[in-house]
Amino acid sequence: MIHYQGGSLTHNEVYFAKVRVPLKPSISSIGISSVGYDRFIHPIVRRTPRFVRSVERNVSLKISAFSEEQEALVVKSWKVMKKDAADLGLKMFLRIFEIAPTAQKLFSFLKDSDVPLEKNPKLKPHAMSVFVMTCESAVNLHRAGKATVRESSVRDLGATHFKYGVVAEHFEVTKFALLETIKEAVPDMWCPEMKMAWGEAYDQLVAAIKEEMKAPEPQNS
């Protein structure tokens, strides 16, 4: 039992972003090392001051409708970033690994590689595909009325994330890295409303993926 001010949690829960987020019991099986624990941050992440402040401000995971105004902010910034998607995707992933180094274990092409991350030939294409997918999902969110992805399906994404042992904290680290990357890419446009728009779009994509994070149904022979 883990105790915190105002209550206590079992080992199968973590008090994260001021809500209880259930964790999969197999967390140790993917090589996650303990880097510290407090009432907000799970042991998979380094408790950098900026990340801690970001999580502390994330007081709710409530999903709300994505407005036309939010869509406009997302579209406007994506038009500027699109041409640099490869570099921005890599920057986002390097930031993820800086905060949560053990997340590298989720990627087979990084496990036994001696090549520096920024020079790994497989990381940049993968990072670009994830960044573009996330941004395009945000751009299309208001029009589609739900989180959608191209060249795949949310169900496929959920199955993949389940297979490789992705946990709630990985999504939160990625959100922080995404918002920081966008902020640096469009500093003249960045504002609280834009941050909220991108954060909301990301939350809706993650919520859809989590809905599909389950073991595949057995096929009838």
Side-chain angles (χ1 to χ4, degrees):
M1 186 73 70
I2 300 169
H3 299 281
Y4 67 95
Q5 184 178 4
S8 60
L9 304 178
T10 67
H11 287 292
N12 197 41
E13 292 180 312
V14 57
Y15 193 69
F16 192 75
K18 294 189 178 178
V19 296
R20 291 188 173 186
V21 181
L23 294 181
K24 292 166 57 178
S26 58
I27 188 169
S28 60
S29 67
I30 60 174
I32 293 175
S33 59
S34 179
V35 207
Y37 201 113
D38 64 22
R39 59 182 291 201
F40 294 109
I41 309 302
H42 191 266
I44 70 167
V45 303
R46 295 186 187 280
R47 294 182 294 171
T48 61
R50 291 174 72 187
F51 179 65
V52 172
R53 289 196 298 270
S54 174
V55 173
E56 287 175 341
R57 286 194 296 267
N58 184 22
V59 296
S60 175
L61 296 183
K62 181 181 178 181
I63 302 298
S64 57
F66 200 68
S67 69
E68 291 184 14
E69 291 77 13
Q70 288 176 313
E71 178 189 44
L73 290 169
V74 165
V75 170
K76 178 182 177 182
S77 49
W78 175 232
K79 284 182 178 178
V80 174
M81 296 187 293
K82 195 171 185 177
K83 66 182 185 300
D84 300 316
D87 291 335
L88 293 174
L90 180 60
K91 181 180 287 188
M92 181 181 77
F93 266 75
L94 293 177
R95 183 168 273 127
I96 290 170
F97 296 144
E98 178 184 1
I99 300 170
T102 53
Q104 295 177 46
K105 297 179 183 294
L106 300 173
F107 302 91
S108 59
F109 57 84
L110 296 179
K111 282 183 180 178
D112 301 314
S113 175
D114 296 326
V115 179
L117 287 172
E118 63 274 13
K119 295 183 179 180
N120 187 293
K122 294 184 178 181
L123 178 58
K124 192 169 187 177
H126 176 77
M128 177 182 176
S129 68
V130 173
F131 185 73
V132 170
M133 177 199 72
T134 304
C135 292
E136 289 187 343
S137 176
V139 167
N140 296 319
L141 180 57
H142 177 72
R143 182 168 60 254
K146 63 179 181 179
T148 58
V149 294
R150 293 171 56 185
E151 300 177 4
S152 181
S153 70
V154 173
R155 177 172 294 181
D156 292 338
L157 287 174
T160 300
H161 284 74
F162 179 88
K163 176 181 177 181
Y164 289 102
V166 175
V167 295
E169 290 70 32
H170 290 128
F171 289 116
E172 197 65 35
V173 171
T174 301
K175 179 180 180 179
F176 174 80
L178 172 70
L179 295 179
E180 287 294 304
T181 300
I182 296 173
K183 176 182 178 181
E184 293 175 5
V186 291
D188 295 336
M189 295 182 187
W190 192 251
C191 60
E193 292 78 15
M194 181 172 285
K195 179 179 181 180
M196 185 175 297
W198 278 106
E200 176 66 29
Y202 178 82
D203 285 346
Q204 294 207 27
L205 176 60
V206 168
I209 292 173
K210 286 180 177 179
E211 283 291 318
E212 301 295 342
M213 284 182 65
K214 51 195 173 187
E217 297 179 2
Q219 296 182 350
N220 296 325
S221 55

